[in-house]
Amino acid sequence: MMRRRTRAWWLAAVISSLGAPGGLAAQGEAGLPLGTPAPSPVVTDLDGKPVDLAAWIGKKPVLLEFWAVWCENCEALLPRMKAAKQLVADRVEFLGVAVAVSQSRERVRRYSEQHGLPFRILYDDDGAAVRAYQAPVTSYVVIVDRAGKVVYTGVGPDQAFEPALRAVSGISH
């Protein structure tokens, strides 16, 4: 029952965002408030094994993107995500949280292999991460500093996450 509610909520959120202009929301206006301690829910990997976000949160900077294979905003954001990953290399952990709406683990795996996604892929079976991070739609990006505080949130293809990413990684330009 909870899984159906989570999927229905996500579908409603995605549909309601389709008519929204450009970036959908400005930095800090979507999801968790800036300065909030980042949650550490347990999700799964593509093999169904549990993964605790506490492995990274509060230990190193983290970029999370809540995404889906069918998300056009996520696809538009992908070249910038790849460039960002190259820029910061292993200074920041990149986590792609695949929402469990209209996509299977296998479909996510194939998409990841075909498109060379720049992050560790996680699968949010039961919506635990979606709820914990108050993800309003796919293409929702959250950047967490080394201390485990949310320093950036944004949605859409035109969001300006790079300055926050540079700051948490210690890269000046």
Side-chain angles (χ1 to χ4, degrees):
M1 181 68 109
M2 178 60 84
R3 189 175 199 164
R4 280 190 191 141
R5 278 192 220 146
T6 301
R7 286 183 180 188
W9 175 86
W10 256 98
L11 188 55
V14 170
I15 290 169
S16 71
S17 73
L18 292 177
L24 299 175
Q27 173 190 348
E29 291 182 7
L32 292 176
L34 301 183
T36 301
S40 296
V42 175
V43 293
T44 60
D45 63 16
L46 291 180
D47 294 322
K49 295 179 181 146
V51 177
D52 189 342
L53 294 187
W56 303 284
I57 302 293
K59 296 180 174 67
K60 74 183 288 187
V62 175
L63 179 146
L64 297 103
E65 181 183 359
F66 289 80
W67 70 279
V69 299
W70 42 260
C71 172
E72 291 178 14
N73 287 335
C74 302
E75 189 172 338
L77 200 53
L78 185 55
R80 290 180 47 220
M81 282 292 168
K82 287 180 177 181
K85 177 63 176 169
Q86 277 192 314
L87 175 70
V88 299
D90 62 355
R91 295 178 185 189
V92 176
E93 188 67 36
F94 276 54
L95 302 174
V97 181
V99 300
V101 177
S102 298
Q103 61 182 2
S104 65
R105 278 187 176 84
E106 192 50 43
R107 186 173 177 203
V108 169
R109 185 186 320 275
R110 279 193 313 269
Y111 186 92
S112 176
E113 290 168 358
Q114 292 169 349
H115 293 87
L117 299 182
F119 27 67
R120 181 184 311 260
I121 306 296
L122 304 175
Y123 192 79
D124 196 16
D125 304 86
D126 62 3
V130 165
R131 288 187 304 278
Y133 278 87
Q134 300 171 23
V137 293
T138 50
S139 81
Y140 175 54
V141 173
V142 178
I143 298 177
V144 179
D145 68 11
R146 184 177 307 281
K149 300 284 186 191
V150 174
V151 298
Y152 174 88
T153 64
V155 295
D158 300 323
Q159 58 184 299
F161 65 86
E162 291 90 348
L165 188 61
R166 284 187 191 96
V168 300
S169 68
I171 295 174
S172 58
H173 303 328

